[in-house]
Amino acid sequence: MSIRKLLCLALSVIMVLTVFTGCGAPANDSNSLFKPGKYTGEGQGFGGAIEVEVEVDTDKILNIKVLPHKETQGVSDAAFSTIPKKIVETQSIAVDTVAGCTVSSKGILEAVKAALTQTAADMDKLEKAVENVVSTETITKESDVVIVGGGGAGMSAAVEALKAGSSVTVVEKMPAVGGNTILAGSAYNTSDQERQKTHEMSASELKRIEDIVALEPKNDLMKSWQETLKKEIEDYKAAKGTYLFDSPSLHKLQTYMDGDYVGNPELIDVFGEKAFEGYEFLTGLGAEWVDGVNAAVGATWMRSHTPTAKYGAKGASFVLPQVEYVEKNGGEILLNSKAEELIMENGKCVGVKGKTTEGQPFEVRAKKNVILATGGFGANVEMRQKYNKHWPKLDESVQTTNHVGATGDGIVMAEAAGANLVGMEWIQMLPTYGKGVFTAYIENQFYINKEGKRFVKEDGRRDELSKAVLEQTDAQIYIISDANTVKDGVTVNGSKVDEQLVGNGYVFKADTLEDLAKQINVPYEDLKASVDQFNNSIKTGTDPFGRTVFDKEFGKAPFYAGLTNPMVHHTMGGVEINTNTQVLDKQGNVIPGLYAAGEVTGGIHGSNRLGGNAIAGITLFGRIAGQNASK
Ligand code: ADP
């Protein structure tokens, strides 16, 4: 036989083998599971394709390497750190998805399966789950301070407790820390005259301050804030100030009045005083900020501080700097550990008990105190419905911006331990959310309905905005932006709009307003009239809807439209605390050993939280809890 004929025969044998074994069983040695080598596969994640490289020898998956992807940093991290490791450990692809990043998990699993399909002799074997034997022995731990919940409040508390010399254990039910904080829209509110000097104050903004000074005070604290503000604004005028005025007293007054005076003024007093220190605390830990200030949706004033993308997108800078500190300074973070009950002995909280994700019981005891920092209940439909009094419905048909772990566990545990709950009926909807959103800031944006018309003052309160959006066609609206919001395809805090969002069916981009109107199917004349109205409101200082927060004139191409709708976002109510963050019982007495901070608490934001106030609140009250619980 000639060499050529031999080659042909060999080739046809290979082809037959390939065809015969088909996809899923190409290992050619019948005793081996795999054909050794490296194989790539692709799966669909949240931000696009996820590609992996799987290395196998004859009978083992040796290694899984995830190639560069576009999943949200921070949010999807747990899927990438857990799933490949589990597959290698169990030699099975029937591993559970990771709570909180299900889509990324499924994408990784799909990619690994696609890679293995090219080499495995027996896919059925790989798809069999490996039985997990869980120990029933209780894991016991002890530290000075025990913190339940590893979001922004919990991690801020942990930093302060460590600084005060306490040993710290953070108990976190999810496979990663971060909670709702890491998903936050990137705004930290505090008055900060240095930064606010870059922004001119309009006559309508000055009038708003004067109106606040003239309000009938509800109590002595409010009166004292007004007196301070009056003096400050007189000094500002005497110094012929033209920049945007702000101060802790104005911040307190707006927080109180835009929460309809439902919040506890004593907590708001601390909030306004300490907000700037909280910002400096994050900066001291490594957070970096973009220049100037912004106005988050519902902030009602230009005092939102925006972190850079140093720690990743969205709210990463409000929690990862603290995590770095905690890890470097000996704090212990127990992931996948769900607290189920506060341990009470002789009326004092002495620890917490619960179960790991795998089902093993644990008990963590506190030599000093326990801090609850478990966040809100926006993702708990049952609780939403139980407490809702102000929205037509909050059943499962209403989406939420929250992570799956925002189920109000801490509120339930604290109540069982005798804690009083306040403001539970106040549930916030974020008026504008979904795949059409790329920034939390409204100063250079306006909203139109599907008819192309503005319908509300975009710098208003979140409750008012959400109610207005719910009344529009399909309860959806377009956020209209220009190059002042998206510069060179990227927003101020690093969201890659052109690369990651345009073309997703919710975000539209055009070089002209005509084209944008066409793409979103609204009459051009109406869109143009909305732009003219926006610019005219800046020029005249009078907006038909009463908007006062503006930055630049609108009209710099390219133009963007994002389709959005309201979603459950924040729960203002929760456990009652005093200004030391000690949890109070139904008689107003302190529950010994128990502190709380963050969204698990009520009483700060009243009936409506200002956009950007949550991050300030969780950070500064988290710090206070950490300091006091260490005493
Ligand atoms: P905050 O903004 O108040 O810090 P977050 O939502 O950011 O609230 O963080 C709360 C954290 O608490 C989340 O990481 C969440 O997974 C965690 N958590 C909630 N319930 C429990 C629980 N039962 N056990 C442990 N951790 C919990």
Side-chain angles (χ1 to χ4, degrees), residues 226-242:
Q226 287 171 299
E227 283 165 2
T228 309
L229 179 61
K230 186 166 181 253
K231 167 101 187 41
E232 288 166 341
I233 207 71
E234 279 165 6
D235 291 348
Y236 167 90
K237 281 187 192 161
K240 304 216 176 325
T242 58

Side-chain angles (χ1 to χ4, degrees), residues 187 219 254 279 387 588:
N219 47 53
Q254 289 178 320
Y279 155 76
Y387 291 107

Side-chain angles (χ1 to χ4, degrees), residues 184-415:
S186 275
Y188 186 112
N189 281 359
T190 174
S191 60
D192 181 350
Q193 286 287 246
E194 266 322 299
R195 283 172 172 274
Q196 287 164 317
K197 284 210 166 105
T198 56
H199 191 75
E200 290 280 302
M201 182 148 78
S202 65
S204 51
E205 281 167 328
L206 180 59
K207 174 153 189 319
R208 273 179 62 193
I209 296 179
E210 287 166 347
D211 289 349
I212 292 171
V213 170
L215 285 170
E216 187 59 40
K218 300 280 176 200
N219 47 53
D220 288 348
L221 259 178
M222 178 170 167
K223 196 168 164 207
S224 73
W225 302 335
Q226 287 171 299
E227 283 165 2
T228 309
L229 179 61
K230 186 166 181 253
K231 167 101 187 41
E232 288 166 341
I233 207 71
E234 279 165 6
D235 291 348
Y236 167 90
K237 281 187 192 161
K240 304 216 176 325
T242 58
Y243 55 88
L244 182 73
F245 174 84
D246 203 2
S247 70
S249 52
L250 178 61
H251 193 184
K252 291 175 203 174
L253 283 158
Q254 289 178 320
T255 301
Y256 192 36
M257 62 181 240
D258 283 336
D260 297 317
Y261 308 108
V262 172
N264 173 352
E266 287 179 14
L267 293 176
I268 295 171
D269 198 48
V270 175
F271 169 81
E273 285 307 313
K274 303 268 181 199
F276 189 75
E277 285 172 26
Y279 155 76
E280 287 183 312
F281 161 81
L282 290 173
T283 310
L285 292 174
E288 289 174 2
W289 310 84
V290 301
D291 291 340
V293 280
N294 306 90
V297 179
T300 77
W301 205 252
M302 290 275 283
R303 62 164 71 94
S304 307
H305 291 51
T306 307
T308 65
K310 177 180 171 189
Y311 284 91
K314 297 196 165 199
S317 297
F318 305 133
V319 64
L320 297 185
Q322 296 97 305
V323 174
E324 268 178 18
Y325 184 95
V326 170
E327 284 175 343
K328 267 195 211 133
N329 289 277
E332 187 171 16
I333 302 174
L334 305 175
L335 297 174
N336 295 308
S337 304
K338 182 179 177 190
E340 292 174 337
E341 193 185 329
L342 296 171
I343 307 172
M344 302 296 292
E345 286 174 4
N346 305 320
K348 182 173 190 262
C349 182
V350 295
V352 68
K353 59 181 169 185
K355 279 200 194 79
T356 67
T357 310
E358 301 203 314
Q360 188 171 1
F362 70 82
E363 250 187 58
V364 189
R365 292 197 156 243
K367 282 189 261 180
K368 291 180 180 171
N369 293 291
V370 173
I371 302 174
L372 268 184
T374 43
F377 60 93
N380 185 330
V381 174
E382 221 173 278
M383 269 179 96
R384 271 165 27 183
Q385 288 182 294
K386 173 174 171 189
Y387 291 107
N388 172 39
K389 285 191 190 158
H390 305 282
W391 297 103
K393 60 171 183 182
L394 289 183
D395 61 16
E396 57 290 324
S397 69
V398 181
Q399 296 163 286
T400 178
T401 65
N402 285 197
H403 82 123
V404 290
T407 46
D409 308 2
I411 297 174
V412 175
M413 285 188 276
E415 198 181 24

